[in-house]
């Protein structure tokens, strides 16, 4: 069964800290992996997408890596800010049909 | 323009009502999706349309009826819903057939079934 797991479920850090969010997936035959951000009661905002042939993607203070052999992806956030507070979801796709398998999310709180 | 719009933002309906949710995008995407999200849970896929044809139905009860009248529009018709169907309903769209198939999500419709 294809499953995606995110640890920890919640994380609280002081402003300015660098942090890593973890995502693991059971089936390494991944098509791509996406990281999303969701603010309370809102839709999802796409942050980064890593194709199966790539090892990492960067956007501003965000860096996502993909290690298919170990079934892991990480999202690195540099110099965290209170505005980064949100739930972060990773989602794996195994074909071009578009079905995403989501992790349970990590709820991040960045304290001023 | 990378926007997916959804209407209405909020909806309250009784179990005997019929209502519809609407989703629209103008990014030229030919894949559109409906997700259901309960509080503190990740989104669950309900339906996928590819080139205006239903390609995935995740065993959703027939009281939910999707419709894709054209490449920019996606509807979800609701009838005889149950209180447990109360949730945030999210629409998304993406290109088809490319590995960089980022899904763009709308803000959602928050549905309350009484």
């Amino acid at each position: 069964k294809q499953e995606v797991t995110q640890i920890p479920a919640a994380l609280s850090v002081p402003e300015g800290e660098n942090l890593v969010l973890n995502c693991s997936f059971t089936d390494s035959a991944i098509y791509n992996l996406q990281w999303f951000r969701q603010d309370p009661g809102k839709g999802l905002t796409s942050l980064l997408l890593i194709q199966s042939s790539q090892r990492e993607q960067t956007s501003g203070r965000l860096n996502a890596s993909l290690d298919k052999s170990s079934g892991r992806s990480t999202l690195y956030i540099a110099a965290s800010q209170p505005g980064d507070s949100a739930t972060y979801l990773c989602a794996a796709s195994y074909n071009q049909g578009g079905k995403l398998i989501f992790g349970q999310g990590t709820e991040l709180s960045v304290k001023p | 323009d990378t926007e997916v719009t959804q209407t209405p933002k909020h909806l309250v309906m009784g179990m005997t009502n019929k209502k519809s949710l609407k989703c629209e995008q103008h990014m030229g995407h030919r894949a559109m999706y409906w997700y259901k999200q309960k509080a503190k849970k990740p989104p669950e896929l309900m339906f996928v349309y590819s080139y205006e044809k239903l390609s995935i139905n995740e065993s959703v009860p027939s009281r939910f009826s999707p419709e894709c009248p054209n490449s920019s529009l996606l509807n979800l018709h609701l009838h005889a819903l149950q209180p447990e169907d109360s949730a945030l309903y999210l629409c998304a769209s993406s290109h088809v057939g490319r590995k960089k198939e980022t899904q763009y999500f709308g803000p959602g419709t928050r549905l309350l079934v009484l």
Side-chain angles (χ1 to χ4, degrees), chain A residues 30-32 34 36 38 40-46 49 51-53 57 89 93 95-100 102-105 107, chain B residues 33 35 37 40-45 48 55-56 58 88 90 94-108 110:
Chain A
I30 203 164
Y31 189 69
N32 62 44
Q34 298 181 53
F36 295 90
Q38 186 172 30
K42 306 289 187 183
L44 278 66
T45 300
S46 178
L49 179 149
Q51 299 173 39
S52 60
S53 58
Q57 282 285 333
L89 293 148
S93 174
N95 55 56
Q96 67 179 41
K99 179 174 180 177
L100 293 177
F102 282 89
Q104 295 293 313
E107 188 174 357
Chain B
Y33 313 79
Y35 290 85
Q37 187 178 26
K40 302 289 188 183
K41 296 290 187 184
E44 298 174 4
L45 183 66
V48 180
S55 59
I56 296 178
E58 290 288 294
L88 181 68
L90 295 164
S94 74
H95 287 298
V96 177
R98 305 182 196 177
K99 275 210 165 178
K100 195 169 174 61
E101 289 172 7
T102 300
Q103 289 192 20
Y104 293 88
F105 281 77
R110 184 153 309 275

Side-chain angles (χ1 to χ4, degrees), chain A:
Chain A
K1 184 181 177 184
Q2 294 164 337
E3 293 181 343
V4 177
T5 304
Q6 290 184 249
I7 295 174
L11 181 63
S12 182
V13 301
E15 182 177 4
E17 195 162 293
N18 301 326
L19 59 100
V20 174
L21 305 181
N22 296 297
C23 172
S24 60
F25 43 93
T26 54
D27 185 348
S28 62
I30 203 164
Y31 189 69
N32 62 44
L33 186 131
Q34 298 181 53
W35 283 92
F36 295 90
R37 168 190 173 136
Q38 186 172 30
D39 294 290
K42 306 289 187 183
L44 278 66
T45 300
S46 178
L47 298 174
L48 290 164
L49 179 149
I50 311 177
Q51 299 173 39
S52 60
S53 58
Q54 298 175 321
R55 294 294 298 245
E56 63 179 87
Q57 282 285 333
T58 298
S59 176
R61 293 183 294 110
L62 305 180
N63 176 277
S65 68
L66 177 65
D67 185 343
K68 290 193 299 179
S69 61
S70 65
R72 293 182 61 192
S73 176
T74 60
L75 180 67
Y76 174 82
I77 302 177
S80 59
Q81 303 170 358
D84 294 330
S85 298
T87 295
Y88 290 80
L89 293 148
C90 70
S93 174
Y94 287 94
N95 55 56
Q96 67 179 41
K99 179 174 180 177
L100 293 177
I101 300 172
F102 282 89
Q104 295 293 313
T106 294
E107 188 174 357
L108 174 66
S109 176
V110 181
K111 305 293 187 185

Side-chain angles (χ1 to χ4, degrees), chain B residues 22-25 32 52 67-75:
Chain B
K22 180 180 171 181
C23 172
E24 195 165 3
Q25 56 86 18
M32 296 187 77
E52 296 86 71
E67 178 196 22
C68 190
N70 60 55
S71 60
S72 300
L73 268 177
L74 185 66
N75 298 319

